[in-house]
């Protein structure tokens, strides 16, 4: 079967501590002008290269995902998992390499993106849905389901800044859970709210998975990888350390991690 | 396929269930799996230097534009007592201040137009313009959470901020009905010109808003410099004085400001005066140049927004 996601030699390079830092951090015009002057001076006086230090957030990442597969991505903090998801979601550009997606992709890097505190629950469902890529017709047809899932029927016309934090995340998850692209890119947004709602979220995820959608899931919960994913990728230091059946990858990850550190 | 950073094929609509044709899919995969199209729906790679405006993807995301405009309008007067009346109150108060101090005390000429009308026309137009630019300029920063979490054509954000101001402008313009009636101004065919003129000033505001929003994402100086710039722009435009007050030898410079032609023509069309077509034509040309320049600059800078904002 042909893959639905094809990632080929993907690299992402960041420059740190360099004179050219201005491109990474927001700063003032004055600093940029000063930098520009300094840089042109080094070009004349020095060897042409500034003392720029580069950081490879991702290095030669290649993998494929088959349609309907649930792929877990694991690794320690700072391994490059989020960078990978951001590139897959087209939020940041890769430095080199390419990705081919053979389907519409939707990403959930955070729940409640685009929620506005002054708007009501009803208004936010539409806004959040639109931001996540749903059409108005699609939201209309799923509206009741979303409201029922979040359990906020009584507070539909209340501004969400008056919501409890539990209600807020429930609503946010409910909208996200009803997203319907062929490829779903998820970054640890599962398991919100109290234990009852967590179970509901987990069941919903199972439902989404059984519907045959392709899912990329970044998580720190090995439990979740073992329960939900067939395959997994371990990323460390921007490189793929291991790739294969979820169990093998998780066991390998355990074996190389500090056994005393909590996972 | 990958000449640019990102390219998408036409939106397949609400993407539930199997669509498009199969290739080498196993026959027994059934409807459970989505069937792969022959070519990628999306290709992601480092962008090359060649840039297009990519109007197609803007069109694909038009519904998001609509929702963001709707949000900006909804949110604007939340938790205020007077609500949208503020859209009238602001230019109205400016009109009163200027009528009393500039017209009555300083005796500034208003070209035979009743001074209240002269100033209200100037200020309703100007406050739309300046608010649109400053809202546009701050829009990317204000929506940083969207930019770092979700993909969509970034041009939508400043565009929504600028276009949302149109509703205030429309509300403020309602006051012309009683004003024109009270001052017995007869309406001529030129009145129809206010529609294309409103589109023109919106286009100019769009161009400036887009440009400043991109600059602001990288250089926060814009936020501090912009109020001064707008203040200066107001004084070099015929908002509070007629262009006839400008000495002849400086008139050519004055008319290079695209706002001059727009404001003068706007007053002329409201109050049935002669329109300076030559000046208006110049404004149209400059406005389109500004929009084109801004849109291209924006596209150049947008690829790094998620990293610099």
């Amino acid at each position: 079967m042909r893959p639905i996601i094809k990632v080929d030699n993907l690299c992402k390079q960041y420059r740190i501590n360099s004179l050219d830092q201005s491109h990474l951090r927001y700063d003032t015009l004055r600093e940029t002008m000063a930098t520009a002057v300094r840089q042109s001076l080094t070009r004349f006086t020095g060897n042409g290269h500034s003392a720029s230090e580069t950081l490879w957030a991702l290095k030669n990442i290649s993998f494929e995902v088959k349609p309907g597969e649930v792929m877990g991505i694991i690794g320690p903090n700072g391994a490059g998992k989020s960078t990978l998801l951001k590139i897959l979601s087209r939020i940041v550009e890769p430095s080199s390499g390419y990705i081919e997606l053979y389907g519409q992709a939707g990403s959930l890097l955070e729940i409640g993106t685009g929620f506005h505190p002054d708007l009501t629950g009803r208004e936010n469902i539409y806004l959040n849905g639109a931001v996540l890529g749903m059409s108005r017709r699609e939201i209309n047809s799923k509206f009741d389901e979303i409201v029922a899932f979040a359990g906020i029927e009584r507070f539909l016309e209340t501004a969400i800044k008056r919501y409890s934090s539990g209600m807020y995340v429930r609503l946010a998850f409910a909208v996200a859970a009803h997203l319907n692209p062929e490829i779903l890119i998820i970054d640890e947004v599962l398991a919100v709210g109290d234990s009852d709602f967590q179970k509901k979220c987990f069941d919903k995820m199972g439902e989404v998975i059984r519907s045959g959608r392709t899912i990329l899931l970044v998580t720190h919960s090995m439990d979740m990888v073992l329960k939900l994913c067939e395959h997994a990728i371990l990323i460390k230091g921007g490189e793929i350390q291991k790739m294969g059946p979820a169990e093998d990858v998780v066991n390998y990850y355990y074996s190389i991690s500090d056994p005393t550190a909590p996972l | 396929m990958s000449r640019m950073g990102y390219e998408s094929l036409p939106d397949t609509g609400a993407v539930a269930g199997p669509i498009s044709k199969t290739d080498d899919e196993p026959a027994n995969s059934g409807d459970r799996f989505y069937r792969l199209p022959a070519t990628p729906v999306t290709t992601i790679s480092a962008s090359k230097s060649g840039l297009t405006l990519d109007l197609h993807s803007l069109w694909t995301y038009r519904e998001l534009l609509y929702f963001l405009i709707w949000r900006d309008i909804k949110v604007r007067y939340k938790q205020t007592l007077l609500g949208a009346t503020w859209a009238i109150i602001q230019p109205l108060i400016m009109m009163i201040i200027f009528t009393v101090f500039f017209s009555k005390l300083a005796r500034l000429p208003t070209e035979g137009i009743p001074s209240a009308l002269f100033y209200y026309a100037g200020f309703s137009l100007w406050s739309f313009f300046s608010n649109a630019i400053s809202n546009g300029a701050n829009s990317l920063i204000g929506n940083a959470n969207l930019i770092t979490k979700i993909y969509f054509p970034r041009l939508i954000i400043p565009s929504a901020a600028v276009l949302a101001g149109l509703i205030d402008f429309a509300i403020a313009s309602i006051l012309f009905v009683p004003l024109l009636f009270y001052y017995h101004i007869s309406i001529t065919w030129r009145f129809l010109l206010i529609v294309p003129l409103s589109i023109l000033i919106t286009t100019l505001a769009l161009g400036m808003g887009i440009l400043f929003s991109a600059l602001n994402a990288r250089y926060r100086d814009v936020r501090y410099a912009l109020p001064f710039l707008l203040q200066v722009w107001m004084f070099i435009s015929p908002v509070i004085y007629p262009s006839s007050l400008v000495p002849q030898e400086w008139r050519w410079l004055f008319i290079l400001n695209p706002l001059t032609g727009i404001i003068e023509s706007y007053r002329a069309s409201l109050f049935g005066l002669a329109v300076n077509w030559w000046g208006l034509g110049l404004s149209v040309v400059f406005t389109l140049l500004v929009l084109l320049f801004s849109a291209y600059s924006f596209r150049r800078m947008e690829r790094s927004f998620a990293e610099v904002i």
Side-chain angles (χ1 to χ4, degrees):
Chain A
M1 211 191 303
R2 288 191 304 134
I4 188 166
I5 302 174
K6 191 175 166 195
V7 178
D8 196 75
N9 258 309
L10 198 73
C11 298
K12 179 70 187 177
Q13 187 183 32
Y14 283 108
R15 268 172 288 196
I16 46 167
N17 285 336
S18 72
L19 290 174
D20 209 19
Q21 199 178 21
S22 51
H23 290 293
L24 291 177
R25 296 269 161 262
Y26 73 90
D27 51 9
T28 62
L29 195 60
R30 190 172 57 96
E31 279 169 42
T32 308
M33 288 192 290
T35 309
V37 170
R38 238 181 298 149
Q39 261 177 344
S40 43
L41 282 180
T42 30
R43 213 162 285 150
F44 283 117
T45 57
N47 55 6
H49 286 281
S50 54
S52 75
E53 217 181 299
T54 56
L55 171 88
W56 291 91
L58 292 174
K59 216 169 176 179
N60 301 321
I61 300 283
S62 301
F63 64 91
E64 292 182 346
V65 183
K66 300 263 185 289
E69 198 175 349
V70 181
M71 174 75 89
I73 299 174
I74 56 175
N77 284 329
K81 304 185 297 289
S82 298
T83 306
L84 177 60
L85 288 204
K86 283 198 169 176
I87 294 174
L88 278 160
S89 314
R90 301 162 71 182
I91 294 163
V92 298
E93 268 191 2
S95 305
S96 65
Y98 70 90
I99 298 171
E100 285 176 355
L101 301 174
Y102 291 83
Q104 290 291 327
S107 44
L108 285 177
L109 301 194
E110 177 190 75
I111 54 170
T113 308
F115 267 16
H116 197 289
D118 283 326
L119 296 177
T120 67
R122 178 190 299 279
E123 291 163 345
N124 270 300
I125 290 176
Y126 278 94
L127 183 63
N128 189 221
V131 163
L132 293 175
M134 287 160 97
S135 67
R136 208 177 336 170
R137 215 185 35 206
E138 217 179 331
I139 305 169
N140 277 334
S141 71
K142 288 177 185 162
F143 188 83
D144 293 337
E145 223 180 304
I146 292 172
V147 174
F149 190 89
I152 54 141
E153 291 90 342
R154 284 169 50 218
F155 307 101
L156 260 185
E157 311 304 335
T158 308
I160 60 164
K161 63 181 174 189
R162 315 238 181 270
Y163 278 26
S164 71
S165 48
M167 280 158 64
Y168 183 94
V169 289
R170 285 202 319 262
L171 180 63
F173 183 88
V175 182
H178 290 80
L179 206 60
N180 219 358
E182 290 108 21
I183 303 169
L184 204 50
I185 299 163
I186 308 177
D187 191 1
E188 285 220 278
V189 286
L190 294 160
V192 292
D194 57 20
S195 60
D196 269 0
F197 193 74
Q198 277 189 24
K199 185 169 178 317
K200 221 164 134 185
C201 294
F202 210 80
D203 291 347
K204 183 74 189 173
M205 278 310 296
E207 198 183 296
V208 169
I209 287 164
R210 277 188 302 278
S211 71
R213 209 152 299 147
T214 310
I215 296 174
L216 271 180
L217 176 69
V218 162
T219 179
H220 281 289
S221 156
M222 294 306 130
D223 214 37
M224 200 176 275
V225 174
L226 291 173
K227 269 188 198 150
L228 297 177
C229 307
E230 301 147 60
H231 292 88
I233 295 173
L234 170 63
I235 297 183
K236 210 179 162 189
E239 289 174 283
I240 294 184
Q241 299 278 318
K242 195 167 174 64
M243 182 159 48
E247 221 182 293
D248 296 357
V249 177
V250 169
N251 284 336
Y252 179 77
Y253 186 35
Y254 278 136
S255 73
I256 62 163
S257 316
D258 177 4
T260 56
L263 278 162
Chain B
M1 179 70 213
S2 63
R3 208 173 54 78
M4 265 177 39
Y6 309 124
E7 283 187 34
S8 291
L9 287 180
D11 199 354
T12 41
V15 279
I19 25 169
S20 51
K21 58 191 182 298
T22 35
D23 259 347
D24 45 350
E25 205 76 3
N28 62 352
S29 67
D31 277 356
R32 205 172 85 90
F33 292 125
Y34 161 73
R35 290 177 201 157
L36 297 180
T39 51
V41 175
T42 310
T43 304
I44 303 171
S45 64
S47 58
K48 309 286 184 290
S49 48
L51 266 183
T52 63
L53 281 182
D54 201 13
L55 295 176
H56 173 260
S57 77
L58 277 180
W59 178 247
T60 311
Y61 281 86
R62 64 194 180 280
E63 210 159 64
L64 183 59
L65 174 68
Y66 161 80
F67 271 109
L68 290 180
I69 294 174
W70 169 83
R71 176 197 67 178
D72 284 354
I73 293 171
K74 274 257 168 189
V75 165
R76 184 161 307 159
Y77 298 113
K78 282 264 166 165
Q79 231 171 339
T80 61
L81 281 176
L82 297 175
T85 335
W86 278 112
I88 293 185
I89 295 173
Q90 286 167 325
L92 186 67
I93 289 175
M94 292 304 275
M95 172 193 97
I96 294 170
I97 293 171
F98 276 83
T99 307
V100 171
F101 290 96
F102 280 63
S103 179
K104 299 282 178 273
L105 286 178
R107 303 215 170 270
L108 236 64
T110 53
E111 279 194 327
I113 302 166
S115 57
L117 280 177
F118 182 89
Y119 291 127
Y120 196 74
F123 276 112
S124 58
L125 207 58
W126 173 255
S127 54
F128 161 66
F129 187 69
S130 70
N131 285 336
I133 292 177
S134 48
N135 289 341
N138 289 314
S139 61
L140 283 178
I141 299 175
N143 288 289
N145 60 331
L146 288 186
I147 291 170
T148 54
K149 299 293 177 197
I150 299 283
Y151 167 78
F152 53 88
R154 305 317 193 192
L155 264 173
I156 285 182
I157 288 185
S159 305
V162 168
L163 295 176
L166 274 173
I167 192 88
D168 280 1
F169 181 49
I171 292 170
S173 301
I174 293 173
L175 202 66
F176 278 122
V177 178
L179 280 177
L180 290 176
F181 192 74
Y182 179 82
Y183 286 101
H184 302 292
I185 305 284
S186 51
I187 288 167
T188 65
W189 64 270
R190 291 198 194 90
F191 197 76
L192 293 175
L193 261 181
I194 64 170
V195 176
L197 285 171
S198 303
I199 295 172
L200 189 60
I201 194 166
T202 309
T203 314
L204 185 59
L206 209 53
M208 300 309 294
I210 286 169
L211 184 65
F212 284 121
S213 69
L215 287 172
N216 205 5
R218 179 160 289 171
Y219 308 109
R220 295 294 198 273
D221 309 65
V222 171
R223 195 200 305 218
Y224 304 105
L226 192 60
F228 294 109
L229 190 97
L230 285 173
Q231 191 101 58
V232 172
W233 202 346
M234 187 183 97
F235 285 121
I236 59 168
S237 308
V239 177
I240 50 175
Y241 56 86
S243 24
S244 56
L245 213 67
V246 177
Q248 198 64 47
E249 64 261 41
W250 292 108
R251 205 62 72 75
W252 64 273
L253 193 65
F254 190 65
I255 215 150
L256 284 182
N257 169 9
L259 212 48
T260 302
I262 300 177
I263 296 179
E264 287 287 305
S265 312
Y266 187 73
R267 282 207 185 97
S269 62
L270 273 176
F271 312 128
L273 308 173
V275 177
N276 179 353
W277 295 104
W278 192 77
L280 185 57
L282 214 59
S283 293
V284 173
V285 173
F286 276 129
T287 299
L288 292 178
L289 286 180
V290 165
L291 183 66
L292 221 59
F293 173 77
S294 302
Y296 272 105
S297 315
F298 189 95
R299 294 274 303 148
R300 287 198 77 82
M301 293 190 256
E302 90 176 328
R303 60 182 88 156
S304 61
F305 281 164
E307 290 160 49
V308 296
I309 206 157

